[in-house]
Amino acid sequence: MLDEADDIHPLFYGAPKTTEFKKLRKRIVQNVREAVEHYGMVDRDPAKTPKWLVCLSGGKDSYTLLAVLHELKWRGLLPVDLLACNLDQGQPGFPATVLPEFLEKMGVPHRIEYQDTYSIVVDKVPQGRTFCALCSRLRRGNLYRIAREEGCDAVVLGHHRDDILETFFMNLFHGGRLATMPPKLVNEEGDLFVYRPLAHVAEADCEKFANGMNYPIIPCDLCGSQDGLQRQQVKAILDGWEKNSPGRRQVMFRALTNARPSHLLDSDLFDFKGLATNLVQDSDNHQEIPKLS
């Protein structure tokens, strides 16, 4: 049966009562709780309650993030204050009333901020180039400002497992480095954390969850309308691998949590020059003997 009104946050009212959806919801909640604990996203200082700015774009991922964080807080498993925030970037046709009405209806504390970064991006980016980099940079700067104004300790983003994996391969194929989106970092100014609690959650689970809850999804037409994006190319490659070998995405993601610097080639991470065996040469009989400790 459905959750009773006094048993769950309003974001979960009307949740499908199928066994499949209940398992999906439980899996996502467990994945998020695991990431929060594993990467130390909560300050356990009893004298202070952290405050998180939860960034809401209106996409499936951010709705999933918002709902799961509120469920964990509702159940006493996430001792933080949550403030949802949507940055309206002035994209033509953006349905500006959808998120405010949804958040009001759900009783979610929120802030809606309007900043026309769209015009800046269109003006600055040469024709034929993608908008993503500049758009992201301007968005992030505004979110940091809002977090400071609201007294937040962290900016919380809805990047999931597949975003992290795709970014790794984008850096591998196009950037010449082994790097991706970390689940936890400190911004360049050093005054805010950036968290990604969906780090262990599959994109497909976010989509099934948001669709099952019938949340009012807002597509990103600014970036999604452009063809030939590197991320879309990488996504297609990963989709092909997953189709041929189901579960491959999770195996590759697990590799990101199991790095071995001594088995790579970065001498800044591992002292190859100082590497030595535990044997020394006996100059009298030319035999190797154990090195004394």
Side-chain angles (χ1 to χ4, degrees):
M1 58 187 297
L2 300 179
D3 292 310
E4 299 296 334
D6 60 353
D7 185 51
I8 197 62
H9 192 276
L11 283 163
F12 282 89
Y13 287 176
K17 55 185 178 181
T18 64
T19 300
E20 181 182 5
F21 187 85
K22 290 179 179 179
K23 288 182 178 179
L24 169 68
R25 170 174 158 182
K26 181 178 180 180
R27 180 168 64 250
I28 294 175
V29 170
Q30 287 178 335
N31 287 161
V32 171
R33 189 179 179 189
E34 177 185 71
V36 169
E37 292 292 334
H38 185 74
Y39 300 111
M41 296 182 187
V42 176
D43 184 356
R44 297 298 181 180
D45 183 356
K48 178 184 178 183
T49 300
K51 186 176 182 180
W52 290 4
L53 188 76
V54 183
C55 301
L56 188 66
S57 67
K60 64 184 187 308
D61 311 325
S62 62
Y63 277 121
T64 301
L65 174 69
L66 183 72
V68 174
L69 291 181
H70 275 279
E71 172 159 7
L72 289 172
K73 178 177 173 61
W74 187 265
R75 297 195 181 282
L77 300 173
L78 186 67
V80 302
D81 292 331
L82 301 172
L83 177 67
C85 177
N86 172 251
L87 178 64
D88 182 344
Q89 297 181 260
Q91 300 176 27
F94 182 80
T97 61
V98 169
L99 284 171
E101 291 176 356
F102 173 81
L103 295 169
E104 287 287 349
K105 180 181 178 181
M106 296 297 159
V108 173
H110 63 277
R111 172 171 169 174
I112 306 296
E113 179 85 4
Y114 178 80
Q115 291 290 331
D116 185 10
T117 63
Y118 176 84
S119 297
I120 298 174
V121 170
V122 172
D123 178 63
K124 298 295 184 182
V125 176
Q127 187 174 3
R129 301 288 296 275
T130 59
F131 297 151
C132 298
L134 180 57
C135 176
S136 177
R137 190 158 58 248
L138 293 173
R139 180 171 62 250
R140 191 68 57 85
N142 277 289
L143 292 173
Y144 287 166
R145 171 183 57 79
I146 295 168
R148 296 183 185 105
E149 292 174 358
E150 296 290 345
C152 294
D153 304 278
V155 172
V156 184
L157 305 175
H159 296 123
H160 46 65
R161 181 201 69 179
D162 296 73
D163 287 325
I164 292 172
L165 193 58
E166 289 161 13
T167 300
F168 171 80
F169 280 101
M170 287 173 64
N171 283 321
L172 178 67
F173 294 155
H174 304 287
R177 61 183 179 273
L178 298 181
T180 188
M181 299 171 173
K184 176 182 179 180
L185 61 86
V186 176
N187 67 339
E188 292 182 359
E189 293 79 4
D191 63 336
L192 291 168
F193 285 110
V194 177
Y195 296 147
R196 294 183 172 93
L198 296 182
H200 294 177
V201 179
E203 180 178 17
D205 281 354
C206 292
E207 184 169 10
K208 292 176 185 176
F209 176 82
N211 289 338
M213 291 302 305
N214 199 30
Y215 291 142
I217 305 298
I218 301 174
C220 179
D221 293 325
L222 176 61
C223 298
S225 62
Q226 294 177 288
D227 296 327
L229 293 177
Q230 294 176 352
R231 185 171 291 276
Q232 295 303 318
Q233 295 170 352
V234 168
K235 184 185 288 289
I237 292 172
L238 296 180
D239 285 344
W241 288 346
E242 184 71 21
K243 181 179 180 180
N244 293 330
S245 301
R248 180 63 57 86
R249 265 191 170 93
Q250 183 59 25
V251 172
M252 291 187 292
F253 181 79
R254 191 163 66 245
L256 296 180
T257 70
N258 190 26
R260 299 185 180 183
S262 64
H263 287 56
L264 297 172
L265 285 79
D266 191 338
S267 58
D268 289 333
L269 295 180
F270 187 80
D271 183 13
F272 291 100
K273 290 183 178 179
L275 192 62
T277 68
N278 62 350
L279 298 175
V280 295
Q281 195 74 22
D282 182 352
S283 59
D284 294 331
N285 54 23
H286 305 290
Q287 293 181 344
E288 289 185 334
I289 59 175
K291 182 191 295 184
L292 296 178
S293 59

